Amino acid sequence: MLYIDVGNTLRGGLRTGIQRVVRSLAYELAVNSGIETRLIAFDVGAGRYFALADSTLIRSADSLADLGREARIYFDFDAFEQGDIFFEPDSSWTEPLNRGALFRRLKAKGVIVVVLNHDAIPILLPEVCHPNTLVSFSETIADHIQYTDYALATSARVSRDLCAVSERFLGRSMSTRVIKLGADFAA
């Protein structure tokens, strides 16, 4: 099973930049990949993950508020099984669920953790970021470096930056793979 965490995109309700990439990528993987896929988000109030009842909702729902109870299929952490893939393509540094704790739990169950990194700007240019962003981003990128099985990058520059940050944080380079982003899957 492929689990794609789209929670941050739905929590923020935006349709630009990272959120546009997340919506398009999640939709295509869920609808056209031929792999059993769940688009998921963490519900803070319930303390549980839920899957979108219909993957096409990633295109129509502007935010979590647009997803009523009938659009959510709640599941327990036990649903994750060895060999499942947890894919995090989103800007997860603002997620309510601590990534390090989540990744450790997933790894203990034998789940493969894959992240998509869009940049390392808060670490490379801290002077242009809010101090809170710098702290939360640094913690999340450290979790990515430490716990992920596969790190994807949106460009060769992002890949080089992640390797440099990994070297700085852990004293070793992070293995990344660049994926090409298209403007429109239909085109």
Side-chain angles (χ1 to χ4, degrees), residues 6 8 42 45 74 88 92 101 105 108 127 130 132 142 144 151 158 166 172 178 184:
V6 296
N8 195 272
F42 188 75
Y74 284 88
E88 183 172 272
S92 59
R105 259 183 106 180
E127 64 277 7
H130 190 279
N132 292 345
H144 284 184
V158 171
S166 175
R172 61 179 164 80
V178 176
D184 186 357

Side-chain angles (χ1 to χ4, degrees), residues 5 10 20 28 34 36 42 47-48 102 115 120 137 142 161 176 178 185 187:
D5 192 331
L10 290 173
R20 189 179 67 235
E28 289 299 323
E36 189 175 3
F42 188 75
R48 301 169 66 194
L102 171 64
V115 297
F137 185 91
D161 290 347
T176 64
V178 176
F185 280 104

Side-chain angles (χ1 to χ4, degrees), residues 66-87:
D66 293 338
L67 300 173
R69 180 66 181 100
E70 72 286 350
R72 301 175 183 211
I73 301 169
Y74 284 88
F75 61 95
D76 292 320
F77 198 82
D78 293 339
F80 292 107
E81 297 179 351
Q82 183 171 352
D84 284 344
I85 300 169
F86 182 90
F87 179 37

